[in-house]
Amino acid sequence: SRSDEELAGLTAFLVGVTLLMVTLAGLVMVLQASLLKVSAGIIRRAVDINGYIAMLIGAGITVAVQSSSITTSTLTPLVGLGVLELEQMYPLTLGANIGTCMTSIMSALVTEGTDSLQVAFAHLMFNICGIIIWYPIPFMRRIPIHFARQLGKATRHWRGFPVLYIIVMFLLVPAIFLGLSSIFQQDTTGAKVGGSI
């Protein structure tokens, strides 16, 4: 029945999220145990390269593993451990975003129609425009890095901050914008009132 399917879907979701959290926690523990001073020095030298080359490396890794989440969730604990600097991780993360776009373009190439390919290219252009705005000019590059540091400080002061941030930025803000956009759909009172203003 439908309720059984919903229960099965919810159970699979909860098991998946739990496995993801356990796996990421295990990844952090393994990285902490394995990154002794010698390993940390090797990693520091390996990523101490030109930012644009680091973007290519981040994109290549992401295309290879088919997930920017894997790339960034592997690098984030390295920053937390002090092995990588935020300035070194930033171009790798930008490259990971481009790598995700390449994955979506490859997926879109095997589907029928052009809608999925248009969305994939829009995603790519969005990320390229973001890189053009936020990376080449050193002053602009410092803005997202500054905000990342502030988020890290907020997390250090209150461990519940990441949960609050996720709820606000990924649930509440999109819900507000979705609600606002639904007000202005055709043949609704909001569209008539908004159109007359």
Side-chain angles (χ1 to χ4, degrees):
S1 73
R2 184 167 185 208
S3 62
D4 290 339
E5 289 176 6
E6 289 174 354
L7 181 62
L10 179 63
T11 303
F13 173 75
L14 293 175
V15 168
V17 169
T18 303
L19 286 174
L20 178 66
M21 289 182 189
V22 169
T23 304
L24 288 176
L27 176 66
V28 170
M29 290 179 3
V30 167
L31 286 172
Q32 285 176 334
S34 65
L35 288 175
L36 302 174
K37 291 180 182 177
V38 176
S39 300
I42 292 169
I43 291 172
R44 278 194 195 99
R45 283 191 298 278
V47 296
D48 194 22
I49 53 177
N50 180 294
Y52 297 100
I53 295 171
M55 280 186 216
L56 291 174
I57 291 170
I61 291 169
T62 302
V63 168
V65 298
Q66 301 284 307
S67 171
S68 63
S69 297
I70 292 173
T71 305
T72 55
S73 63
T74 302
L75 295 173
T76 301
L78 296 177
V79 173
L81 292 170
V83 174
L84 290 178
E85 297 292 324
L86 276 174
E87 291 80 6
Q88 294 171 315
M89 183 178 166
Y90 183 49
L92 290 166
T93 304
L94 294 176
N97 288 338
I98 297 296
T100 296
C101 295
M102 294 302 139
T103 301
S104 64
I105 288 171
M106 288 187 290
S107 298
L109 288 172
V110 298
T111 61
E112 289 185 26
T114 59
D115 291 344
S116 59
L117 196 56
Q118 287 175 342
V119 170
F121 276 119
H123 186 209
L124 176 64
M125 288 295 106
F126 176 81
N127 281 304
I128 288 174
C129 288
I131 289 172
I132 290 170
I133 292 168
W134 295 106
Y135 193 76
I137 303 168
F139 170 77
M140 296 297 286
R141 190 181 307 168
R142 288 192 289 265
I143 294 171
I145 292 173
H146 169 75
F147 281 115
R149 281 200 174 94
Q150 295 306 313
L151 290 171
K153 287 177 185 175
T155 300
R156 188 175 63 225
H157 293 300
W158 181 48
R159 295 287 181 192
F161 179 77
V163 174
L164 178 66
Y165 179 82
I166 289 169
I167 290 170
V168 170
M169 297 308 290
F170 293 99
L171 296 176
L172 187 61
V173 171
I176 290 169
F177 282 115
L178 184 62
L180 287 174
S181 69
S182 69
I183 289 173
F184 293 101
Q185 288 179 351
Q186 213 169 16
D187 297 329
T188 63
T189 306
K192 292 175 186 170
V193 171
S196 65
I197 293 178

